[in-house]
Amino acid sequence: AGGVRFRFWWPSAVSVRISGDWNEWSGVDELDSIGDGLWQLVLSKARPGHAYQYIVEDDDGVRRHARRSTGRRERRRPRAGQ
């Protein structure tokens, strides 16, 4: 088993895909909405340290790219009161 869990917060997203070293930057891997603006996917073929980026289709129809290079950080949902 193994792999990497990707979790991403983007409240206005309609869909979120991910591309990276493991899929030759094809963007075919789609994250699942798990509620409250969170998106998630576990990929067995991804490894810690792979470069990757999220491809977000926003509710305004605009496609945006959120790049991450090492899998160490993610855009975080603000805590209540912040």
Side-chain angles (χ1 to χ4, degrees):
V4 176
R5 177 186 314 268
F6 293 92
R7 187 175 281 180
F8 187 67
W9 179 73
W10 198 291
S12 59
V14 173
S15 70
V16 178
R17 293 179 292 134
I18 191 168
S19 62
D21 292 337
W22 66 89
N23 66 11
E24 299 179 3
W25 297 90
S26 65
V28 297
D29 297 310
E30 191 165 342
L31 282 74
D32 297 315
S33 174
I34 59 173
D36 295 326
L38 287 171
W39 298 80
Q40 178 175 285
L41 179 65
V42 177
L43 288 171
S44 60
K45 55 194 166 197
R47 297 289 175 255
H50 274 163
Y52 66 96
Q53 73 177 356
Y54 294 105
I55 304 160
V56 179
E57 183 181 337
D58 227 335
D59 61 2
D60 60 6
V62 175
R63 182 178 290 171
R64 294 179 169 83
H65 296 261
R67 190 168 201 58
R68 298 288 179 240
S69 61
T70 64
R72 292 280 188 195
R73 293 233 182 263
E74 62 185 44
R75 183 176 174 194
R76 296 195 184 261
R77 176 174 44 177
R79 292 185 181 152
Q82 290 186 349

